[in-house]
Amino acid sequence: MLPTPDPQLPALSEAFGASRDGAATGLVLAQLDAARRGGGPILWVQDRLAAQEGGLPYGRGIAGVTGLDMPILRVAARTAAEALWAMEEGLECAALSAVIGEIWGNPKVLDFTASKRLALRSARSGVPLWLIRADADPSLSVAPDRWRVASAPSGAHPFDPRAPGAPQWHAELFRSRRSQPGTWVAAHDRAAHRLDLAAPLRDRPVGEGAGPDAAPHPRALGGSGRP
């Protein structure tokens, strides 16, 4: 999981992405896999527009992505205000493994004060909160970590080079209070229950980086030392 958890900060992260892309949801599920605590259920809250534009969570699909059968308590809220209320109430329950909230667009109720209330409750109970911001622009927030996520070409298939392999995402950590911001190609390692991040390949001027350091150096963060 990235970045390294800091007990002094609330476990609140935001992931921005297009509602019909699904990349932000994939990134959150990949981190959720590694962070899941104690086998408790996950509270998944959606406002009406987020469910309408992005679809509903599907248990078998989530199990296929994460490799784990996660009990999910779903709350269908009519408005963003109701969704925020449900998230706050959920964060009071320490028996939950996590809370996932999906809010579409930039509703006025999701302001700096609302994000502070969520962060305080997450810090008090220790229940992590992932806030998926579909089709939204980043506004003021106290979230320690904020991501922009979009789909990337899949990885290589291990048995058929013509078939798509594991899903990947372009993940940009554009704001963080506990790690250096950066951009990576992200993939989920089901066997290790972790999110792998590798620096994207970049074109460079001719002659730059000549010598033994010329080759790209993929980075894998999250604990295992795998490149």
Side-chain angles (χ1 to χ4, degrees), residues 24 54-55 66 92 133 144 153 169 182:
T66 63
E92 294 286 355
R133 303 291 310 279
W169 313 280

Side-chain angles (χ1 to χ4, degrees), residues 5-220:
D6 184 341
Q8 302 302 316
L9 295 174
L12 166 61
S13 301
E14 288 184 302
F16 293 80
S19 59
R20 305 205 174 189
D21 186 351
T25 303
L27 184 82
V28 167
L29 288 174
Q31 298 190 72
L32 189 68
D33 184 2
R36 191 163 175 246
R37 315 170 316 151
I42 296 163
L43 180 67
W44 196 308
V45 183
Q46 292 179 300
D47 69 5
R48 182 180 60 83
L49 289 174
Q52 176 179 301
E53 297 296 326
L56 308 180
Y58 178 55
R60 290 188 178 181
I62 293 172
V65 170
T66 63
L68 296 174
D69 185 14
M70 299 181 178
I72 293 175
L73 304 174
R74 179 175 173 267
V75 173
R78 291 177 300 177
T79 65
E82 291 183 359
L84 291 170
W85 178 85
M87 282 186 268
E88 288 188 31
E89 293 298 310
L91 289 170
E92 294 286 355
C93 181
L96 292 174
S97 290
V99 175
I100 296 176
E102 288 190 72
I103 301 291
W104 187 87
N106 290 87
K108 289 184 179 179
V109 293
L110 183 48
D111 55 12
F112 182 83
T113 302
S115 70
K116 189 173 183 178
R117 286 201 308 268
L118 292 171
L120 288 173
R121 298 211 178 194
S122 174
R124 189 162 59 205
S125 65
V127 177
L129 168 63
W130 280 269
L131 195 57
I132 299 174
R133 303 291 310 279
D135 302 330
D137 296 320
S139 52
L140 289 176
S141 170
V142 300
D145 302 307
R146 310 185 83 188
W147 296 83
R148 286 192 189 91
V149 193
S151 294
S154 66
H157 194 285
F159 306 112
D160 186 350
R162 297 170 298 179
Q168 298 185 138
W169 313 280
H170 292 294
E172 177 191 5
L173 183 64
F174 65 92
R175 178 182 181 277
S176 179
R177 294 168 58 189
R178 46 193 165 193
S179 183
Q180 284 291 330
T183 301
W184 298 274
V185 175
H188 178 232
D189 186 335
R190 285 183 53 176
H193 300 309
R194 70 179 183 192
L195 179 70
D196 280 348
L197 302 180
L201 297 177
R202 299 181 184 279
D203 293 330
R204 294 177 295 182
V206 175
E208 180 182 342
D213 296 329
H217 296 275
R219 296 175 57 190

